[in-house]
């Protein structure tokens, strides 16, 4: 026994120096965090290009650069380093060039630039008015298909005027569309996105799809003769539905597009994938229009010449995305969202059998293939690993989930190795109506069994999303400051099947709150949460559910509601969700009682006693600031402690680095003020 105790003591002493080198996560670590995204494997399979974004403290801006890593993992090279953003790297199929999009050197709206693999500086390739929204190389590397932002033809022509000649007063905004608002885009008029064919040698762009419709997500056929794309067409007011379809057009100026899909559901939810022989197209088809907010895609295949589509893997009751056809045409690989994780899976074309390619509680996505090798470049993350580029090599044996992940990028390794992180655990709770609910708990790095902790219920947005096994800066920051963090995949979340998502249809703020409170009951009974120090909060639908919850239950001693709303009736015509409202709730003059029912947090604001911090961006057209302003005013009138924070010039997502830091610090200060009561003194005895 003495030897065991001595060995344990020596082990602790040996571990102390390593632990002493680590520190807690801080708010200003936002400036250390690097956002890695968009991996693109080169045609020869030897390199993976990707984008790295970071917040710059001195300029209070975000900067994105293009990097690449070798497939063997031995090299990681930065390719661009200007103060302007570079993004969307795409290899030419002949492996000679790497293209990217940037507005560097005054390029208007973002243009395509070329890096020659043989060396030299990047050269601007396109100069298209309106800028480039997307692009793709032709298989012979001689052309690009561009998705061009075409301005409203009614806009004045100011390109050739000097700054002094341009009007100082902006002209009136004339709106005549049914769906007339969109976050970031602002007021919608007659702007369009059209496909252009661009000749690389001649540097000449010609419009491929003129007209009054929008076209997006172009993909070349393997032989380079056709382009598949997604568009919403038909007669009547197209703003009144979300029914997109897949079309194919010959890659020749003057060609007429052919409609492939005709279902009343939304088809082409994401980029399509051609079979290697060019005879079939794999695409994603969604739910009927009224369920658009709870969409769960299905995999379909249709002949490129048209015909009846065939659904694959119909028994897979989970959201999927990003289908990629295998080179042998026997399978399609895609990403599956499943119960707190995301993973690549292979669907057998003939049988529809689904094989999971990587196991474990993690998030793996953003697939990129090369014709020369079966391995995939991916983004991979876990609870304690920030997303980085990895190689997913196929399994050598049988059995699902045996694929091997091999890390290629290391953008966050150095600083993260010095940070003490919390411990993330899964839990299952049962709501009062018997529903089984799944979630995550993050315990502080200094957690000690048997102690009760101030506990935060942090609610994800969507609602069609999930809390999952990926690194969360916010959850880890709260844990670093001594909070236990509870993340709940309430009904309406994805990853648990279509019926689970649709359970809240036209019944907002009911079952979700039942699930959230049931999860908190579980955490309190487990002995982890101090019932006198409970907080709640979220952003977007997380902020909306915060309002619902504090109007329903008085257990929370502090709340933060970001980009939320409570008087849902007042959102009609103010935000961007008009088609959802009409299809799910109905117009207010026909569904007045339902609108009032789902607005209960505002009409029952007098039940709220929770000190609440409201936040939002003043340019938000997704969940406009008025939603927070109304609740702030209500609580202020009622004498409940409250505060409103407005971030100037910000949309639904806060992007200015100093505002991100400010928001996190305000969360900590607000929760700290009401939940960080002095703990009871504990005493220890023993020799000194």
């Amino acid at each position: 026994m003495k030897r065991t105790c001595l060995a344990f003591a020596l082990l602790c002493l040996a571990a102390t120096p390593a632990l002493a080198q680590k520190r807690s996560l801080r708010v200003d670590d936002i400036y250390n965090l690097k956002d890695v995204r968009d991996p693109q494997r080169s045609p020869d399979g030897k390199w993976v290009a990707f984008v790295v974004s970071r917040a710059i403290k001195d300029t209070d801006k975000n900067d994105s650069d293009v990097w690449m890593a070798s497939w063997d993992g031995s090299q990681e090279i930065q390719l661009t380093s200007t103060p302007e953003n570079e993004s969307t790297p795409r290899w030419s199929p002949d492996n000679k060039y790497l293209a990217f999009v940037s507005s560097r050197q005054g390029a208007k709206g973002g243009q395509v630039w070329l890096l020659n693999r043989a060396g030299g500086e990047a050269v601007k390739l396109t100069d298209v008015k309106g800028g480039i929204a997307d692009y793709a190389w032709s298989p012979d590397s001689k052309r690009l298909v561009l998705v061009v932002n075409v301005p409203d033809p009614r806009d004045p022509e100011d390109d050739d005027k000097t700054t002094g000649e341009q009007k100082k007063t902006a002209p009136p905004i004339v709106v005549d569309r049914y769906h007339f608002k969109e976050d970031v885009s602002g007021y919608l008029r007659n702007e369009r996105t059209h496909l252009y064919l661009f000749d690389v040698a001649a540097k000449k762009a010609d419009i491929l799809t003129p007209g009054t419709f929008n076209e997006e997500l172009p993909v070349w056929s393997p032989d380079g003769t056709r382009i598949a794309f997604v568009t919403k067409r038909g007669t009547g007011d197209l703003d009144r539905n979300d029914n997109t379809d897949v079309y194919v057009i010959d890659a020749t100026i003057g060609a007429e597009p052919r409609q492939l899909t005709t279902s009343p559901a939304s088809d082409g939810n994401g980029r399509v994938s051609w079979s290697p022989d060019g005879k079939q197209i794999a695409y994603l088809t969604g739910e009927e229009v009224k369920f658009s907010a709870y969409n769960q895609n299905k995999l379909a295949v249709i002949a490129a010449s048209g015909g009846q589509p065939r659904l694959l893997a119909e028994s897979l009751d989970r959201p999927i995305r990003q289908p990629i056809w295998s080179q042998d045409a026997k399978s399609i690989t895609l990403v599956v969202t499943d119960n707190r994780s995301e993973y690549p899976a292979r669907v057998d074309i003939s049988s529809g059998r689904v094989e999971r390619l990587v196991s474990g509680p993690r998030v793996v996505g953003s697939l990129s293939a090369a014709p020369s090798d079966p391995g995939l470049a991916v983004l991979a993350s876990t609870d304690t690993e920030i997303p980085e580029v990895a190689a997913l090599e196929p399994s050598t044996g049988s059995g699902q989930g045996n694929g091997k992940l091999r890390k290629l990028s290391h953008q966050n390794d150095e600083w993260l190795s010095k940070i003490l992180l919390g411990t993330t655990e899964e839990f299952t709770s049962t709501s009062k109506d018997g529903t089984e609910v799944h979630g995550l708990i993050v315990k502080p790095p200094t957690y000690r069994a048997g102690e009760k902790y101030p506990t935060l219920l942090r609610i994800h947005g969507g609602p069609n999303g999930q809390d999952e096994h990926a690194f969360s800066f916010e959850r880890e920051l709260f844990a670093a400051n001594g909070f236990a963090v509870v993340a709940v995949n309430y009904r309406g979340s994805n990853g648990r099947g279509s019926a689970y998502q649709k359970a809240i249809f036209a019944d907002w703020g009911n079952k979700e709150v039942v699930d959230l409170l049931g999860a908190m009951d579980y955490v309190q009974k487990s002995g982890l949460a101090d019932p006198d120090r409970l907080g709640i909060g979220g952003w977007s639908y997380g902020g909306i559910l915060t309002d619902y919850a504090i109007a329903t239950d008085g257990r929370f001693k502090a709340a933060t509601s970001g980009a939320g709303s409570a008087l849902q009736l007042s959102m009609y015509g103010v935000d961007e969700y008009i088609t959802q409202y009409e299809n799910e709730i109905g117009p207010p003059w026909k569904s007045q009682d339902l609108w009032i029912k789902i607005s209960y947090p505002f009409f029952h604001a007098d039940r709220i006693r929770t000190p609440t911090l409201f936040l939002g961006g003043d340019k938000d057209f997704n969940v406009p600031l008025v939603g927070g302003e109304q609740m702030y005013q209500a609580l202020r009138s009622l004498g409940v402690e409250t505060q409103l924070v407005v971030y100037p010039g910000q949309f639904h997502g806060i992007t200015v680095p100093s505002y991100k830091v400010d928001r996190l610090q305000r969360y900590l200060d607000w929760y700290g003020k009401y939940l960080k009561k002095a703990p009871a003194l504990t005493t220890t005895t023993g020799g000194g």
Side-chain angles (χ1 to χ4, degrees):
M1 180 66 181
K2 289 181 179 179
R3 285 196 298 271
T4 302
C5 291
L6 178 60
F8 179 76
L10 290 173
L11 181 62
C12 290
L13 286 172
T16 300
L19 290 175
Q21 294 175 3
K22 291 181 178 268
R23 62 170 177 82
S24 297
L25 191 68
R26 300 188 299 250
V27 170
D28 62 3
D29 279 316
I30 282 286
Y31 298 110
N32 292 322
L33 180 69
K34 293 181 180 179
D35 176 24
V36 178
R37 64 180 187 273
D38 199 10
Q40 297 290 322
R41 195 171 181 194
S42 63
D44 62 7
K46 295 180 180 179
W47 295 91
V48 180
F50 55 96
V51 176
V52 179
S53 295
R54 60 195 180 101
I56 309 298
K57 189 172 185 178
D58 291 343
T59 61
D60 206 17
K61 294 182 179 180
N62 299 291
D63 180 56
S64 297
D65 290 304
V66 177
W67 288 64
M68 67 178 186
S70 59
W71 187 251
D72 63 10
S74 64
Q75 298 181 71
E76 195 170 356
I77 301 170
Q78 184 171 357
L79 298 178
T80 68
S81 57
T82 69
E84 294 86 3
N85 291 322
E86 292 91 19
S87 64
T88 326
R90 299 292 183 266
W91 302 91
S92 62
D94 62 10
N95 219 48
K96 293 181 179 179
Y97 298 97
L98 178 62
F100 60 87
V101 173
S102 178
S103 57
R104 51 161 59 183
Q105 299 179 16
K108 296 178 181 179
Q111 302 293 336
V112 177
W113 295 68
L114 280 190
L115 274 170
N116 193 316
R117 297 289 309 282
E121 294 293 326
V123 176
K124 188 171 73 168
L125 183 62
T126 67
D127 190 13
V128 180
K129 182 180 179 180
I132 310 298
D134 189 16
Y135 71 104
W137 286 94
S138 65
D140 62 6
S141 301
K142 294 181 179 179
R143 293 187 292 175
L144 300 173
V145 57
L146 309 175
V147 180
V148 176
N149 297 311
V150 180
D152 189 316
R154 296 173 295 185
D155 287 349
E157 297 284 344
D158 285 336
D159 283 0
D160 298 328
K161 296 180 180 180
T162 64
T163 303
E165 293 174 323
Q166 293 177 7
K167 290 185 178 181
K168 294 181 180 180
T169 302
I173 299 172
V174 179
V175 174
D176 51 18
R177 291 180 56 175
Y178 174 75
H179 175 61
F180 69 94
K181 300 179 88 171
E182 195 77 28
D183 196 38
V184 182
S185 297
Y187 288 101
L188 303 179
R189 299 170 301 135
N190 291 323
E191 304 92 344
R192 295 286 182 255
T193 56
H194 290 314
L195 304 186
Y196 281 66
L197 286 179
F198 184 85
D199 186 293
V200 174
K203 292 188 175 182
K204 184 175 183 293
D206 293 298
I207 192 166
L208 179 64
T209 57
T212 59
F213 304 108
N214 292 306
E215 296 87 26
E216 61 180 356
L217 302 172
V219 182
W220 290 85
S221 63
D223 62 4
T225 62
R226 294 158 292 166
I227 296 170
F229 62 93
V230 176
T231 185
K232 182 167 61 174
R233 301 194 172 198
T235 59
D237 189 348
L238 297 181
D239 279 344
R240 291 179 179 267
N241 71 75
D242 294 317
N243 183 13
T244 57
D245 282 296
V246 179
Y247 281 66
V248 171
I249 189 171
D250 291 338
T252 306
I253 302 303
E256 290 294 324
R258 294 180 293 106
Q259 183 175 354
L260 283 191
T261 64
T262 57
S263 78
S266 183
D267 294 322
N269 297 321
R271 215 174 293 276
V272 306
S273 179
W274 290 82
S275 62
D277 61 7
K279 294 182 178 180
Q280 299 183 84
I281 292 176
Y283 66 96
L284 299 180
T285 182
E287 307 278 356
E288 58 181 298
V289 173
K290 72 175 184 178
F291 291 121
S292 61
Y294 314 99
N295 185 58
Q296 180 171 288
N297 291 321
K298 304 178 188 69
L299 178 63
V301 173
I302 192 170
S305 58
Q308 188 67 26
R310 178 166 66 104
L311 292 178
L312 298 180
E314 291 186 76
S315 63
L316 180 61
D317 187 19
R318 292 292 183 269
I320 57 173
R321 66 179 187 275
Q322 202 184 351
I324 299 177
W325 216 294
S326 66
Q327 287 301 309
D328 62 9
K330 294 181 179 180
S331 65
I332 293 172
T333 300
L334 41 71
V335 178
V336 179
T337 299
D338 181 21
N339 194 19
R340 295 167 286 198
S341 288
E342 297 183 32
Y343 56 83
R346 184 183 297 118
V347 179
D348 183 80
I349 297 294
S350 58
S351 68
R353 178 177 177 268
V354 180
E355 177 190 3
R356 182 171 178 164
L357 299 183
V358 62
S359 61
R362 63 182 72 247
V363 170
V364 180
S366 299
L367 314 181
S368 179
S372 57
D373 184 82
L376 295 169
V378 300
L379 282 183
S381 177
T382 67
D383 298 310
T384 57
E385 297 173 310
I386 299 172
E388 296 277 3
V389 179
L392 174 56
E393 297 170 329
S395 60
T396 55
S398 58
Q400 297 210 2
N402 290 333
K404 180 183 177 183
L405 281 172
R406 183 167 47 82
K407 197 170 180 180
L408 299 182
S409 73
H410 304 271
Q411 295 290 320
N412 294 286
D413 288 6
E414 183 178 355
W415 78 268
L416 192 61
S417 68
K418 302 172 184 177
I419 303 299
L420 285 168
L421 297 176
T423 302
T424 301
E425 300 174 357
E426 294 186 348
F427 75 91
T428 298
S429 60
T430 302
S431 300
K432 67 180 182 181
D433 61 4
T435 301
E436 182 179 294
V437 175
H438 298 169
L440 301 171
I441 296 175
V442 183
K443 296 177 178 177
T446 55
Y447 169 77
R448 292 191 296 184
E451 287 193 13
K452 293 183 183 294
Y453 288 84
T455 300
L456 305 179
L457 172 59
R458 296 295 298 178
I459 311 170
H460 72 72
N464 193 1
Q466 70 165 0
D467 284 308
E468 54 195 8
H469 287 290
F471 185 87
S472 168
F473 187 95
E474 181 185 276
R475 292 199 299 254
E476 290 293 345
L477 181 66
F478 288 135
N481 282 270
F483 296 100
V485 186
V486 180
V488 181
N489 289 323
Y490 50 85
R491 274 171 283 185
S493 305
N494 64 24
R496 292 284 305 283
S498 182
Y500 193 84
Q501 287 179 235
K502 295 174 184 173
I504 67 170
F505 180 83
D507 188 24
W508 306 339
N510 179 16
K511 297 181 180 71
E512 311 99 299
V513 175
V514 170
D515 294 345
L516 293 170
L517 297 180
M520 291 305 291
D521 290 340
Y522 168 84
V523 176
Q524 289 174 243
K525 290 176 182 177
S526 73
L528 172 67
D530 183 342
D532 295 323
R533 296 189 290 169
L534 302 179
I536 187 172
W539 194 267
S540 192
Y541 201 71
I544 293 171
L545 287 183
T546 296
D547 295 346
Y548 281 122
I550 61 177
T552 303
D553 192 286
R555 75 181 73 183
F556 300 103
K557 303 301 187 291
T560 68
S561 177
S565 61
L567 180 54
Q568 310 307 350
L569 181 59
S570 70
M571 294 293 106
Y572 186 91
V574 174
D575 65 18
E576 61 186 40
Y577 295 106
I578 184 61
T579 54
Q580 180 187 351
Y581 294 154
E582 296 272 332
N583 289 311
E584 184 174 351
I585 307 299
W589 47 93
K590 291 184 178 181
S591 308
Q592 181 178 339
D593 291 344
L594 181 52
W595 278 99
I596 291 175
K597 176 187 173 184
I598 63 175
S599 299
Y600 79 77
F602 185 80
F603 290 117
H604 294 99
D606 55 348
R607 298 179 182 178
I608 298 174
R609 299 291 181 269
T610 305
T612 305
L613 174 68
F614 297 97
L615 313 93
D618 69 351
K619 301 297 184 184
D620 189 346
F621 276 4
N622 187 314
V623 186
L625 183 64
V626 65
E629 290 175 328
Q630 290 167 339
M631 284 300 288
Y632 165 77
Q633 189 68 74
L635 296 195
R636 199 72 180 169
S637 297
L638 291 163
V640 178
E641 293 180 84
T642 185
Q643 193 175 77
L644 174 67
V645 179
V646 180
Y647 292 107
Q650 295 298 282
F651 303 108
H652 192 61
I654 303 301
T655 57
V656 173
S658 63
Y659 289 164
K660 289 184 177 181
V661 170
D662 180 90
R663 179 174 57 174
L664 289 170
Q665 189 61 57
R666 288 183 188 278
Y667 288 162
L668 291 174
D669 292 344
W670 192 262
Y671 288 135
K673 178 179 179 180
Y674 297 102
L675 306 182
K676 286 291 189 75
K677 299 175 182 177
L681 293 176
T682 58
T683 59
T684 58
T685 59

